Amino acid sequence: MTTITQPAYAKLNLTLDILGQRPDGYHELRSVMQLTSLSDEVELDVGTGEDWKLECDAPGIPTDGANLAWKAAGLFYQTLGKDPQGISIRLQKRIPSQAGLGGGSADAAAVLLALNRHEGQPLSQRQLLKLAAKLGSDVPFCLTGGTQLAAGRGEVLSPLPDMPDCFFLVVKPEFSVSTPELYAALDQEAEVFHPQTEAMERALRQGELLQVAGYLGNSFEPLVARKHPGLLAIRAMMEDCGALGVAMTGSGSALFGIFDAFDMAAMASMKLMEHHQTFLCRNLKAEEL
């Protein structure tokens, strides 16, 4: 038996623009995505000689074949045409679930990276990305990281210049949001908010953090804030503490603020942690994955 470990890094959507429903039922999107240092820890025992199993230290996470990490391991060995002779997966969760941070996708990507390393890199990056796209829209990005433009369902990726170094404060309110319900509600909106993704790309090319922070935006955020006005209070608190910009990530419910100084981000965290989960992290470049 061999034990391997791999960090699973959370993502943020600097912009998330929902462009409408596609003929296949999915929604077309454009999003500038950023990997962060907030991470789960994934540990795998390969060759246990026993039935597959998955353990997780967080309640409410599936511990069977419904878990994306389990699915990733199954798809990897199915692609190799190899029997691993038993796998045990342990997830140490730090990324909150139902937050828009891609925790399940990050775990799946970590499993693919860890198993490919364990087996001697039999699959190329391109082959791994094909597997990742079968698992979920955010998995390809979590596999490659850095700062990228995502299109299609999120699986069509184009590298962008690295985001300038900064600190993020991620705040997870008590409530969560149903992604399918949110898409259905968005389809009924007379006017949908569209963030300035192209302007965000230009800001990244110029390397100006203040400009990057100024172009944050998410098509879902107005809908969620309308139903949960407490988001506006969280936003105001982060801005009062010096956040250069604040936005919701994914379909929520987490908000994140961009700070150029750690002490200011920490001060905002201290003020908000009494009523919400808070997480301090930084941006990660692709080579740090």
Side-chain angles (χ1 to χ4, degrees):
M1 184 183 78
T2 304
T3 300
I4 46 179
T5 60
Q6 180 76 30
Y9 296 109
K11 61 87 182 173
L12 294 173
N13 298 91
L14 303 184
T15 67
L16 178 55
D17 190 4
I18 308 301
L19 302 173
Q21 195 166 18
R22 306 176 352 165
D24 62 6
Y26 290 99
H27 284 73
E28 191 76 17
L29 62 83
R30 282 176 63 82
S31 176
V32 175
M33 301 178 72
Q34 175 62 50
L35 205 67
T36 79
S37 61
L38 175 62
S39 67
D40 293 342
E41 190 72 23
V42 179
E43 186 175 76
L44 301 102
D45 294 333
V46 183
T48 62
E50 300 174 357
D51 291 341
W52 287 38
K53 67 177 182 178
L54 188 148
E55 300 172 353
C56 182
D57 63 354
I61 303 295
T63 55
D64 56 15
N67 191 292
L68 271 184
W70 184 308
K71 289 181 179 180
L75 184 59
F76 178 82
Y77 279 109
Q78 179 186 343
T79 302
L80 286 193
K82 181 176 180 179
D83 183 353
Q85 302 298 318
I87 285 183
S88 177
I89 303 172
R90 288 177 294 281
L91 303 179
Q92 184 179 349
K93 296 293 290 182
R94 300 186 190 95
I95 305 170
S97 59
Q98 296 182 304
L101 295 162
S105 297
D107 294 344
V111 167
L112 291 178
L113 289 169
L115 292 178
N116 201 46
R117 185 177 73 246
H118 168 68
E119 295 292 347
Q121 309 288 353
L123 300 184
S124 67
Q125 180 84 331
R126 185 175 179 180
Q127 290 172 309
L128 285 176
L129 282 169
K130 283 185 177 181
L131 297 190
K134 292 179 180 178
L135 293 164
S137 298
D138 287 336
V139 183
F141 173 75
C142 292
L143 191 73
T144 50
T147 310
Q148 299 196 55
L149 176 67
R153 294 187 292 113
E155 82 286 7
V156 182
L157 299 172
S158 304
L160 291 170
D162 289 328
M163 184 179 183
D165 290 341
C166 67
F167 300 97
F168 298 116
L169 172 61
V170 178
V171 181
K172 171 64 173 70
E174 289 186 358
F175 70 88
S176 296
V177 180
S178 164
T179 301
E181 288 179 11
L182 199 51
Y183 271 112
L186 193 75
D187 290 339
Q188 301 303 315
E189 286 288 294
E191 291 186 13
V192 175
F193 168 67
H194 295 289
Q196 300 181 61
T197 299
E198 290 184 1
M200 174 65 79
E201 293 179 61
R202 289 195 297 272
L204 287 165
R205 291 191 177 95
Q206 292 168 6
E208 293 290 339
L209 183 61
L210 190 58
Q211 287 187 40
V212 169
Y215 288 118
L216 298 178
N218 185 324
S219 291
F220 287 130
E221 187 173 341
L223 279 74
V224 178
R226 190 188 309 160
K227 188 174 181 180
H228 301 280
L231 280 185
L232 301 177
I234 297 172
R235 169 186 284 276
M237 179 74 76
M238 282 202 272
E239 291 173 341
D240 288 346
C241 290
L244 303 179
V246 181
M248 192 176 80
T249 181
S251 57
S253 59
L255 287 175
F256 67 95
I258 294 178
F259 294 81
D260 57 6
F262 179 79
D263 57 349
M264 299 175 80
M267 179 176 66
S269 178
M270 290 292 290
K271 290 187 175 183
L272 285 159
M273 65 172 33
E274 184 176 350
H275 300 292
H276 311 286
Q277 295 182 71
T278 63
F279 307 86
L280 289 166
C281 53
R282 64 179 179 86
N283 58 307
L284 279 189
K285 297 176 173 59
E287 59 266 23
E288 296 181 85
L289 186 61

